[in-house]
Amino acid sequence: MTLEAITEQFSKTAAKAPSLGKSIKFVFDQGIVHIDLTGEQAQVTNEDKEADCVITTSIETLDGIRKGDINAMSAVMTGKVKIKGDMGLAMKLPSLIS
């Protein structure tokens, strides 16, 4: 999966997400995906902006989590996924990235 493909997927799922008043940034080796959920409609860009929750991982790991091949909690515990900031927001992610 490419950065462009994951950005497009996030755009589709974020469009259905409620306004949470927060933002999330995914940091991949290939680049950034920033999801702004502060307005009426979610904005998904590849800009490196400040966010309430920053998740650092590989696209392959994220794809494995989305497909159910990798357990999200195990990925965090083994360091494949690193989370900084709002952990409550991170817990809401499964519904945003599926």
Side-chain angles (χ1 to χ4, degrees):
M1 185 167 259
T2 65
L3 182 64
E4 292 79 21
I6 203 83
T7 302
E8 184 177 321
Q9 180 66 37
F10 283 171
S11 293
K12 289 177 186 175
T13 56
K16 302 174 201 163
S19 175
L20 299 175
K22 305 214 177 199
S23 62
I24 306 163
K25 177 168 64 173
F26 286 86
V27 180
F28 303 109
D29 292 340
Q30 298 88 338
I32 305 280
V33 178
H34 186 272
I35 306 170
D36 186 343
L37 299 167
T38 59
E40 284 184 32
Q41 191 164 5
Q43 300 293 318
V44 179
T45 67
N46 295 112
E47 296 177 46
D48 189 3
K49 300 187 219 178
E50 291 293 316
D52 298 292
C53 180
V54 178
I55 298 173
T56 304
T57 190
S58 69
I59 288 178
E60 293 78 21
T61 298
L62 182 66
D63 200 35
I65 292 169
R66 289 177 61 235
K67 290 178 180 176
D69 297 335
I70 298 173
N71 178 282
M73 189 59 69
S74 294
V76 171
M77 297 305 226
T78 59
K80 289 183 178 183
V81 175
K82 295 180 179 126
I83 302 171
K84 288 184 186 176
D86 190 334
M87 291 300 273
L89 184 56
M91 299 304 278
K92 295 177 183 175
L93 281 178
S95 62
L96 294 175
I97 64 172
S98 59

